[in-house]
Amino acid sequence: MDRNSKSRAAKNIAITGTAQAWRVITGLILTVVTTRLLTPSDFGILAMVGTATALIALVKDLGISQAIIQRDTISPGQVNSLFWISIAASVVFALLLGAGAPLIARFYAEPKVELLAVAFSALVLISGPQAVPAAILNRESHFDKLAIIDVASATIALVVGVVGALLWRSYWALYASAVSATIVTGVGMWLSTRYRPGVPHFDTNTAQMLSFGSHVSGFNIVNYLSRNCDNILIGRFQGGDQLGLYDRAYRLLLFPITQVHGPIGKVLVPLLSRIQAQQTSYRSTYMEAVSLIMIATQPGILFAIVCAAQLFELLFGTRWIPAAPIFQWLGVAALHQVMTSTAGWLFLSQGRGSDFFKLGAYSAVATVASFIIGLPWGAVGVAASYAVMNYVVLLPLVWVSVGRRGPITCRDLVKLAIPHAAAIVVAAAALKAAQYNWQGVDLARMAALVVLTYFVYLCVILLFRTKRELLARSVRLIKR
């Protein structure tokens, strides 16, 4: 890939990254404010409904968005076909969620869940028409428009969520926040694209895209089990309070990671799809991007793991401190997931939908087994068992699956990870020593420990020549 292409990719990542940084800030503010105003049971009820809505959100467009982005060429008639199919799927899934609301409430033995599930079915319906316009904007690299939409929806969601929490002191505030963000996003997508639905045209290429999309949806379904079976088991057998603690710990950790991966994935998947025949460029583009992600996120995650109790007390108050051990175990798993969760970019850009689905199926079996093993010890046991399973089974599984075909080998991934693993170990030791000698909970001390973690991590990273060269190139690209 030429230098201009890398510059454009860096520019697009910077644009979307800026928007996502605002989304992270607004999301964290919303999390802190609502967590202080609402109770663990409120978040538990929301998480009970979330286990169903999360699945529908992942599969309601049948993988059509990724099929549009990955395709080299696509006709207007084919786009129309995919649009109407996605609309029909959204209607079906909305009806299923609404009809299943009484069953969900009965499963959790929580009557409040029923009305909330019906309300979320309406949200599924109004979000359906967004899939194809969003995919077109991503395919055509209109990341400036997508960034504006992200900033607007995140801001509205923050305002509505905070005002709703202050007025209602109920989980309905977070539902109102989600509705407002969905409406703003949908309006923005349609105003930003020139696409207007027309007559569908079904052909063999359309069928191939649907087949690719079905594999993506299949992965999303099995990945849903691995991501949400913990909520289902804890909510069913441990109750709303335990689920509320677990859900806050999980989301506080997951939200920043997804907001980092989101903008970079939007840029890189279309780019990697176009250069997959250029193996050297493909390999360097992916590995450099993942290295930068790890440098940006792993020190922050490490700090949050070591200082979890103080962090929860400072941000949310003493009643949320029991969530800290849950957060720490999930954080241990997240240290490698920063890297391994980008494997999807490789499968999607290479058109390996079937391999993607198989990886998801194997991962789901291992993950659900870990949840069941840890369940007798409550939410902390579930988190600990999940962390152990990640390193024993899931990490090698992802690396082997990725390396079976394509430009990226298992050896490439191991070489990529070693410097970052060393940096984590040294930074963790420095952070623990500083924490031991510097007790107390206040914002200034927390900020100083964050700086220390990043400093030590970067010092170790700079000992490796390839990482020094990467950081130097990144600085030059930013200056251009």
Side-chain angles (χ1 to χ4, degrees):
M1 186 172 59
D2 59 34
R3 189 170 296 177
N4 289 332
S5 297
K6 285 197 174 184
S7 297
R8 287 195 299 271
K11 180 181 178 182
N12 288 333
I13 290 173
I15 291 171
T16 51
T18 301
Q20 292 301 104
W22 177 246
R23 182 176 286 276
V24 169
I25 292 169
T26 56
L28 289 176
I29 294 172
L30 181 61
T31 298
V32 171
V33 172
T34 54
T35 302
R36 283 188 170 273
L37 293 174
L38 306 182
T39 65
S41 62
D42 284 321
F43 291 105
I45 292 170
L46 200 68
M48 290 173 185
V49 179
T51 55
T53 58
L55 172 62
I56 291 174
L58 288 171
V59 302
K60 63 182 173 62
D61 77 337
L62 306 179
I64 285 170
S65 297
Q66 291 297 338
I68 292 174
I69 293 171
Q70 195 274 337
R71 195 75 177 180
D72 284 335
T73 58
I74 188 168
S75 69
Q78 291 166 350
V79 174
N80 291 335
S81 300
L82 297 176
F83 173 80
W84 291 115
I85 291 172
S86 70
I87 291 294
S90 296
V91 171
V92 170
F93 283 121
L95 291 174
L96 287 174
L97 179 59
L103 297 177
I104 298 172
R106 193 174 306 157
F107 176 81
Y108 289 111
E110 177 52 75
K112 295 178 182 178
V113 167
E114 182 173 351
L115 182 58
L116 189 59
V118 173
F120 269 104
S121 68
L123 192 60
V124 171
L125 197 60
I126 63 177
S127 66
Q130 299 176 14
V132 169
I136 291 172
L137 290 174
N138 274 282
R139 178 184 175 84
E140 297 177 352
S141 298
H142 291 306
F143 297 106
D144 52 345
K145 296 178 180 179
L146 289 167
I148 293 171
I149 295 169
D150 275 346
V151 168
S153 64
T155 304
I156 294 298
L158 172 63
V159 173
V160 172
V162 170
V163 172
L166 289 170
L167 292 177
W168 305 327
R169 302 295 176 101
S170 165
Y171 49 81
W172 286 107
L174 294 175
Y175 173 78
S177 176
V179 169
S180 63
T182 302
I183 293 173
V184 171
T185 299
V187 172
M189 293 293 181
W190 282 101
L191 291 177
S192 300
T193 180
R194 290 175 293 179
Y195 171 72
R196 296 296 179 266
V199 178
H201 174 68
F202 294 93
D203 56 19
T204 55
N205 288 328
T206 305
Q208 290 174 0
M209 285 184 281
L210 287 174
S211 175
F212 174 79
S214 69
H215 285 123
V216 175
S217 292
F219 170 83
N220 287 336
I221 290 173
V222 294
N223 189 55
Y224 157 84
L225 292 175
S226 64
R227 294 288 186 181
N228 289 275
C229 191
D230 47 356
N231 285 345
I232 294 172
L233 292 171
I234 294 171
R236 178 66 178 83
F237 297 104
Q238 300 290 337
D241 286 342
Q242 280 280 298
L243 179 57
L245 293 171
Y246 185 89
D247 180 71
R248 284 299 86 190
Y250 185 86
R251 293 189 181 278
L252 183 63
L253 180 68
L254 182 68
F255 180 78
I257 296 174
T258 57
Q259 297 307 309
V260 171
H261 282 156
I264 299 177
K266 286 179 182 179
V267 175
L268 282 187
V269 171
L271 175 60
L272 292 172
S273 298
R274 305 295 174 262
I275 65 170
Q276 57 181 304
Q278 306 168 33
Q279 293 198 4
T280 301
S281 296
Y282 185 101
R283 185 182 301 109
S284 65
T285 299
Y286 171 78
M287 294 182 69
E288 289 178 8
V290 174
S291 279
L292 291 173
I293 291 173
M294 295 167 78
I295 290 170
T297 58
Q298 283 186 331
I301 296 171
L302 180 62
F303 158 77
I305 293 170
V306 175
C307 303
Q310 297 94 323
L311 196 61
F312 272 78
E313 181 180 355
L314 183 65
L315 292 178
F316 306 134
T318 54
R319 67 177 175 176
W320 287 94
I321 291 178
I326 303 170
F327 180 90
Q328 289 175 314
W329 280 111
L330 294 175
V332 170
L335 285 171
H336 87 76
Q337 290 176 349
V338 169
M339 176 184 176
T340 53
S341 60
T342 65
W345 303 350
L346 301 176
F347 289 111
L348 294 173
S349 62
Q350 295 170 24
R352 295 168 59 187
S354 178
D355 291 340
F356 196 33
F357 170 71
K358 291 176 183 176
L359 173 62
Y362 297 145
S363 299
V365 171
T367 302
V368 173
S370 73
F371 295 153
I372 295 173
I373 292 170
L375 188 62
W377 292 273
V380 175
V382 170
S385 180
Y386 173 68
V388 172
M389 183 70 73
N390 261 263
Y391 286 92
V392 174
V393 177
L394 298 183
L395 177 60
L397 176 63
V398 171
W399 284 0
V400 170
S401 299
V402 166
R404 287 181 62 239
R405 285 196 292 134
I408 306 295
T409 66
C410 183
R411 183 174 179 175
D412 290 331
L413 297 174
V414 173
K415 289 173 62 178
L416 171 64
I418 287 174
H420 299 276
I424 288 172
V425 172
V426 177
L431 183 57
K432 284 297 291 183
Q435 186 190 41
Y436 179 79
N437 292 294
W438 197 3
Q439 299 296 327
V441 181
D442 61 64
L443 190 58
R445 291 182 181 182
M446 292 292 104
L449 291 175
V450 171
V451 172
L452 173 67
T453 309
Y454 273 91
F455 175 76
V456 175
Y457 184 97
L458 284 173
C459 286
V460 177
I461 285 293
L462 290 173
L463 295 175
F464 296 85
R465 179 180 57 82
T466 56
K467 304 301 179 182
R468 290 198 302 272
E469 293 173 350
L470 168 61
L471 290 174
R473 285 196 302 272
S474 301
V475 171
R476 288 196 296 269
L477 281 174
I478 292 172
K479 288 181 177 180
R480 291 185 61 183

